């Protein structure tokens, strides 16, 4: 919340007299804000700027992020976190938060993951450490890496393939095939329904078409 100062309070804050503030206001060097009734007031940001005080930016967090697809892989989840902690200790990094997530890498509705991205957007996160790219997201990693970079956050990938089980890739590929198979089946049913609808005009097939 911004802090506001009346003229007398502002004078004490900058160690000047009220009269000096009035002179600075008239000279356009430290212009006071005014209420609807004409009373002068100042903001702390304004006074600090005049004093040459640079506001300190909050320290950004370093976050360890580990993910597995199912509860049966909890041991893998712990292995990922242990690997990240070992790296952080060796690099002299302090982990401010450790996020252990359970859910498919193709699921973009992971609450913890989305909360992390919101914190990145808010400028609260300076570094995310993962053992492998697909621990963060199965597809589109480059986009998320740019997103984080644009908000002052670095994603450190330790490239440990052991923490990326092959069975997860298989399950994700099966899910993709299933989704597209359902869509293809739906399109075929839709096409058949259109062809049988007597109220719709029929399109003559060109020679050579099935």
């Amino acid at each position: 919340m911004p802090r506001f100062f009346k003229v007398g309070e502002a004078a004490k804050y900058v160690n000047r007299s009220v009269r000096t503030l009035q002179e600075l206001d008239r000279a356009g060097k430290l212009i006071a804000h005014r209420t609807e009734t004409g009373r002068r007031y100042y903001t702390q940001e304004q006074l600090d700027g005049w004093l040459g005080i640079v506001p300190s930016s909050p320290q950004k967090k370093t976050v360890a992020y580990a993910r597995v697809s199912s509860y049966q892989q909890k041991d893998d989840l712990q292995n990922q976190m242990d690997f990240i902690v070992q790296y952080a200790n060796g690099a002299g990094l302090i982990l401010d938060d450790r996020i252990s997530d359970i859910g498919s890498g193709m699921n973009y509705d992971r609450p913890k993951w989305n909360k992390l991205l919101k914190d990145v957007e808010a400028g609260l996160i300076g570094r995310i450490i993962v053992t492998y790219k697909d621990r963060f997201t199965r597809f589109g990693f480059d986009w998320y890496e740019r997103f984080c970079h644009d908000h002052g956050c670095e994603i450190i990938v330790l490239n440990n393939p052991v923490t990326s089980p092959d069975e997860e890739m298989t399950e994700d590929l099966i899910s993709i095939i299933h989704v597209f198979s359902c869509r293809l089946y739906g399109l075929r049913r839709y096409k058949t329904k259109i062809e049988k609808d007597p109220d719709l005009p029929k399109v003559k097939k060109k020679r050579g078409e099935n």
Side-chain angles (χ1 to χ4, degrees):
M1 289 289 291
R3 185 180 174 186
F4 301 98
F5 295 83
K6 296 178 181 178
V7 176
E9 295 171 337
K12 289 181 180 180
Y13 188 80
V14 299
N15 197 26
R16 296 290 190 278
S17 66
V18 171
R19 182 174 179 180
T20 299
L21 288 185
Q22 291 171 342
E23 291 174 354
L24 290 170
D25 186 15
R26 286 192 290 269
K29 296 180 179 180
L30 182 57
I31 302 174
H33 299 283
R34 283 175 170 76
T35 65
E36 294 180 356
T37 57
R39 291 184 178 275
R40 293 184 176 89
Y41 72 93
Y42 300 84
T43 64
Q44 182 172 357
E45 181 182 6
Q46 178 186 20
L47 298 176
D48 286 347
W50 187 77
L51 291 170
I53 300 174
V54 178
S56 57
S57 57
Q59 186 70 29
K60 291 189 174 185
K61 293 181 179 181
T62 296
V63 177
Y65 181 84
R67 180 193 65 79
V68 292
S69 292
S70 64
Y71 286 95
Q72 288 73 28
Q73 297 172 287
K74 279 192 173 181
D75 290 342
D76 292 336
L77 196 62
Q78 187 59 50
N79 290 339
Q80 289 179 48
M81 194 58 70
D82 290 343
F83 193 82
I84 294 173
V85 170
Q86 184 179 3
Y87 165 82
N89 291 337
L93 299 174
I94 297 175
L95 295 175
D96 299 293
D97 201 0
R98 304 179 188 186
I99 300 175
S100 297
D101 215 353
I102 297 178
S104 170
M106 297 194 305
N107 179 12
Y108 299 105
D109 197 27
R110 287 172 271 151
K112 293 181 181 179
W113 184 70
N114 279 295
K115 173 65 166 56
L116 178 59
L117 291 176
K118 287 181 180 178
D119 287 345
V120 169
E121 190 173 21
L124 302 177
I125 310 297
R127 193 180 289 111
I128 300 172
I129 307 176
V130 295
T131 60
Y132 210 65
K133 285 183 179 181
D134 65 5
R135 299 303 87 196
F136 194 74
T137 183
R138 177 65 71 185
F139 301 112
F141 178 85
D142 291 344
W143 187 94
Y144 288 102
E145 187 176 38
R146 285 195 301 272
F147 171 84
C148 290
H149 179 269
D150 291 344
H151 290 88
C153 175
E154 174 190 13
I155 302 182
I156 298 177
V157 181
L158 304 183
N159 284 322
N160 182 2
V162 177
T163 61
S164 176
D166 292 338
E167 57 266 25
E168 279 196 17
M169 173 66 83
T170 302
E171 290 173 3
D172 289 342
L173 290 175
I174 291 173
S175 296
I176 293 172
I177 293 171
H178 176 71
V179 169
F180 279 97
S181 296
C182 290
R183 289 185 178 179
L184 183 60
Y185 177 70
L187 288 173
R188 285 174 176 169
R189 287 187 61 188
Y190 186 62
K191 179 182 177 182
T192 302
K193 187 175 181 180
I194 291 176
E195 289 175 347
K196 292 182 177 180
D197 193 328
D199 297 327
L200 293 176
K202 303 302 178 184
V203 178
K204 292 184 179 180
K205 292 182 180 181
K206 296 180 180 179
R207 185 176 297 176
E209 289 186 354
N210 295 326

